[in-house]
Amino acid sequence: MSAESSNLSNIEHHAVIKYFVKKGKTPKEIFEDLALVLQESAPSYTMVKKWARLFQQGRESCEDDPRPGRPVTLVTEENIRKIEKLVLVDRRIKLWQIAEELQISKERVREIIHEHMNMRKISARWVPKMLTPFDKQRRLQTSKDFLELVGDNIDEICDRIVTVDETWVRQYDPESKQESMQWTKKGERPPKKFKVQKSVSKLMATIFWDSEGVLLIDYLPKGTTMNGQYYANLLAQAREAVVQKRQSAVFTRQCICPHGAGFEAGPEGHGLLGN
């Protein structure tokens, strides 16, 4: 369901609650169904319980009762400051949590956040690793050293760069959305799918690549230690792969090599191979 289609008004929420009450559902069951379908736009459990009780007592109207003395608007500087404080403390806070905390509607909370605070909720971007300030400074200095090394031949040198990095390759047993589908009767709860856990089994992969693609992938055999001799042999294999494509190359690593493989070290532990 799209974000727009899931944003129901309070009256529509009340009408849905009324319908479920007449079907004999409990407030907890109603809230779970609404949260499953509407997700973040679902009304709070407190609101569901309140209106379920009213409908059970015989109420027919789905409209809110008029509140004497209620201000014309709740979009005030005080509420904006309060909401901003809550959001900055917990950037994953839900609209209904803010609404319950400040005792105002979710519509007003959404209006304040989007129109007055100019904020929106987005998913976190995936990155391979979190760099520390030291890592960032080291990469900056390495880049400066490299630019100084290549001088005016940067285009020619960049075409000859070969990068090598190591990573753990873990074994997973993924299940696609299509594979997880199950037959269910009308009214039954949908099946749950839990997050896939990492397997204990893993391999160390060393990958060499250049601007045109992967040159060599080596998987460290189980029970083998990545020492200087192994790494020296690996560099020899990489050199052969490079020779098939060009006469010379510059090898760089994304992390400092601890293996002491016996090759000439360039800036920040980078090895230089070729003519």
Side-chain angles (χ1 to χ4, degrees), residues 162 215 238-249 251:
V162 174
L215 296 170
R239 180 192 289 271
E240 292 179 5
V242 171
V243 168
Q244 295 178 7
K245 296 183 63 175
R246 62 183 80 123
Q247 294 297 320
S248 60
F251 275 68

Side-chain angles (χ1 to χ4, degrees), residues 110-122:
R110 183 183 291 107
E111 177 185 349
I112 290 174
I113 291 178
H114 287 278
E115 299 183 14
H116 296 270
M117 295 172 53
N118 196 27
M119 297 182 73
R120 60 193 180 101
K121 211 170 194 181
I122 59 175

Side-chain angles (χ1 to χ4, degrees), residues 15-55:
V16 173
I17 295 171
K18 180 179 179 181
Y19 169 76
F20 280 131
V21 167
K22 290 187 176 295
K23 289 197 67 174
K25 288 198 172 188
T26 65
K28 185 174 184 297
E29 292 173 334
I30 297 173
F31 173 74
E32 289 176 348
D33 281 346
L34 290 173
L36 182 65
V37 176
L38 302 181
Q39 299 179 359
E40 187 177 335
S41 298
S44 66
Y45 178 66
T46 302
M47 174 183 169
V48 172
K49 187 167 61 173
K50 168 190 170 183
W51 281 90
R53 183 180 68 253
L54 292 175
F55 291 131

Side-chain angles (χ1 to χ4, degrees), residues 157-177:
I157 294 296
C158 285
D159 288 339
R160 295 163 49 200
I161 291 178
V162 174
T163 305
V164 55
D165 196 13
E166 300 162 356
T167 184
W168 285 109
V169 179
R170 295 182 178 270
Q171 178 180 340
Y172 290 83
D173 185 17
E175 184 184 56
S176 68
K177 187 174 182 179

Side-chain angles (χ1 to χ4, degrees), residues 191-232:
K192 293 182 179 180
K193 181 180 178 181
F194 298 97
K195 183 178 179 180
V196 177
Q197 299 296 323
K198 294 179 180 179
S199 169
V200 177
S201 177
K202 61 181 181 179
L203 289 174
M204 170 67 78
T206 305
I207 305 99
F208 295 80
W209 73 93
D210 63 4
S211 60
E212 297 181 4
V214 175
L215 296 170
L216 175 68
I217 301 179
D218 176 80
Y219 296 100
L220 183 69
K222 290 185 178 181
T224 304
T225 303
M226 176 69 82
N227 53 27
Q229 183 59 48
Y230 185 93
Y231 206 78

